[in-house]
Amino acid sequence: MSRQHYTFTSESVSEGHPDKVCDRISDAVLDAFLAEDPLARVACETFATTNRVVIGGEVGLTDQAKLSEYMDRIDEIARACIKDIGYEQDKFHHATCKVTNLLHEQSAHIAQGVTGQKGDEGAGDQGIMFGYATNETPAFMPAPIQYSHAILRQLAEVRKNGAEPVLGPDAKSQLSVVYRDGKPVGVSSIVLSTQHLDENMSSADVRSVVEPYIREVLPDGWVTEATAWHVNPTGKFVIGGPDGDAGLTGRKIIVDTYGGAAPHGGGAFSGKDPTKVDRSAAYAARYLAKNVVAAGLAERCTVQLSYAIGVARPLSIYVDTHGTGDVDADLIEAAIPKVMDLTPRGIRTALDLNRPIYQRTAAYGHFGRDPEADGGFSWEKTDLVEALQAAV
């Protein structure tokens, strides 16, 4: 039986965190190729440090001869991301940093594995992917990560709309959430480190700016006199972003998913097209887990999928309802392939993943977001509820 009384902690990082700058650029490059060629195969990695951005990886296009034509746009794409995030520092500025593009053609051996010997689309790699959902928040997400994201999104909004121009793009949040009877009821500690543009600001000054927004985001009654606050605990935080600490695509996989509340298969998402099951199958697993909980079949659900490169169908499907299920987990496992085709092509079709919808996922989590009209965050829909209920 799972624990009922405990404290659990998760962290988030802002869009200006060095690793998130890199995730954003990688996904922007992916979106640019998908906008031109919905069947593009992209594996894009970005590295950022003081006055430097390096982009590398592989690209496969329906018409490979067009690759050189599209490559001329990479510099512009990277600078647009950096500008939108808000970096205009002397040692990391969208207009003056050096951008090096090392993208090249996809390996023919990888391409043949994905295409498959019989022409059917196989998985882009081997691996395991997890999806998770819980009814403890309206978004079916664990509370610690969901509210850690929400705090930073709120601070980014007031930074960008001019309400709090003293805040910089680089920030991290961390919440320790208290659970009673298995449900979140309060926050025992709040950690917030944010870049600030006024060198004379103390930690107390920064807290006076951010505290009202943090209180606004958290549920009523969660912050009490006993809640410990740690705002910019090391003191000044003026030098931020890649100038303060190098960034790399794919280094925030726990931030991107469930904040440590669920297992992770180890594969990053950003910069990968949806033939890469690291990304698409993780989205499918979240979609399935969320629909299981939304259907009332369990209060919590973990779904694991596994794949082999070049093989279309998953090798295994595993479901754990953590003792909260109204039906046996093996019945849910048997129902899943009846309600969704879990081949890479089936996932891409069901969730409409061949669209340029990925840049927006690069910060504040890939899960727990609202489905969007253009197909963004399609894996957050709950349109499998009736099919799952019927199947079990």
Side-chain angles (χ1 to χ4, degrees):
M1 186 173 180
S2 59
R3 294 180 63 189
Q4 296 298 299
H5 310 299
Y6 56 94
T7 300
F8 193 84
T9 303
S10 295
E11 72 154 349
S12 179
V13 298
S14 73
E15 63 198 78
H17 184 280
D19 295 331
K20 282 292 150 199
V21 172
C22 295
D23 285 345
R24 171 78 176 269
I25 293 171
S26 293
D27 273 335
V29 170
L30 169 63
D31 278 353
F33 280 112
L34 289 176
E36 299 291 342
D37 181 356
L39 299 180
R41 292 173 180 168
V42 180
C44 177
E45 310 286 346
T46 303
F47 167 73
T49 187
T50 302
N51 280 332
R52 168 78 71 150
V53 172
V54 180
I55 303 167
E58 303 80 45
V59 179
L61 299 175
T62 304
D63 182 357
Q64 200 65 32
K66 291 186 176 181
L67 180 59
S68 60
E69 172 188 336
Y70 299 151
M71 295 285 269
D72 294 338
R73 299 170 50 192
I74 303 302
D75 182 279
E76 175 187 347
I77 290 167
R79 295 184 191 281
C81 290
I82 298 166
K83 182 178 182 180
D84 184 69
I85 291 168
Y87 278 116
E88 295 184 342
Q89 298 172 188
D90 289 343
K91 294 184 178 180
F92 196 74
H93 194 294
H94 59 87
T96 58
C97 69
K98 184 175 181 179
V99 178
T100 302
N101 175 15
L102 302 176
L103 288 167
H104 58 83
E105 185 175 352
Q106 183 187 42
S107 161
H109 292 171
I110 292 177
Q112 74 179 4
V114 175
T115 302
Q117 295 180 356
K118 298 179 181 179
D120 54 335
E121 184 178 281
D125 201 353
Q126 70 176 51
I128 56 175
M129 300 83 207
F130 289 92
Y132 180 73
T134 171
N135 65 1
E136 67 187 58
T137 63
F140 296 94
M141 285 288 287
I145 188 66
Q146 189 71 2
Y147 290 112
S148 292
H149 287 324
I151 288 169
L152 293 183
R153 293 186 76 175
Q154 179 77 337
L155 293 180
E157 181 177 342
V158 297
R159 170 176 65 86
K160 288 185 169 184
N161 68 20
E164 301 293 351
V166 73
L167 298 178
D170 196 354
K172 302 177 78 171
S173 65
Q174 182 174 290
L175 292 180
S176 296
V177 176
V178 178
Y179 285 74
R180 293 290 178 264
D181 297 320
K183 301 297 181 184
V185 297
V187 177
S188 62
S189 68
I190 298 168
V191 183
L192 190 286
S193 295
T194 181
Q195 184 184 11
H196 52 93
L197 306 184
D198 183 347
E199 294 191 12
N200 296 315
M201 291 183 76
S202 66
S203 296
D205 295 332
V206 175
R207 175 173 172 175
S208 69
V209 172
V210 302
E211 182 172 345
Y213 299 110
I214 294 174
R215 289 181 176 272
E216 180 182 333
V217 164
L218 294 176
D220 291 342
W222 277 29
V223 180
T224 69
E225 292 183 357
T227 301
W229 289 76
H230 303 278
V231 177
N232 281 20
T234 62
K236 294 186 186 300
F237 184 4
V238 176
I239 300 172
D243 181 34
D245 189 14
L248 191 66
T249 299
R251 284 205 299 200
K252 287 292 176 284
I253 59 176
I254 301 303
V255 170
D256 285 343
T257 53
Y258 308 102
H264 196 295
F269 300 156
S270 290
K272 297 178 181 178
D273 75 83
T275 67
K276 279 73 171 175
V277 285
D278 274 345
R279 183 170 216 158
S280 57
Y283 289 174
R286 161 64 178 176
Y287 178 52
L288 291 163
K290 183 175 182 179
N291 275 269
V292 166
V293 177
L297 303 180
E299 294 182 8
R300 295 169 57 205
C301 181
T302 298
V303 174
Q304 184 204 55
L305 305 173
S306 68
Y307 290 84
I309 188 168
V311 179
R313 298 200 174 276
L315 306 183
S316 65
I317 300 171
Y318 168 79
V319 172
D320 186 356
T321 56
H322 308 280
T324 70
D326 286 342
V327 299
D328 290 340
D330 58 349
L331 294 178
I332 299 174
E333 286 175 357
I336 282 175
K338 297 177 183 177
V339 302
M340 186 176 185
D341 178 355
L342 289 171
T343 64
R345 188 185 301 278
I347 294 171
R348 289 169 67 178
T349 300
L351 300 180
D352 206 4
L353 297 182
N354 285 344
R355 301 183 182 208
I357 55 173
Y358 298 105
Q359 184 177 172
R360 69 195 75 170
T361 69
Y364 314 119
H366 292 244
F367 307 128
R369 313 279 285 270
D370 292 330
E372 298 178 348
D374 67 349
F377 301 102
S378 59
W379 49 93
E380 292 296 312
K381 297 184 294 184
T382 53
D383 53 357
L384 287 183
V385 165
E386 292 183 3
L388 280 167
Q389 289 171 336
V392 299

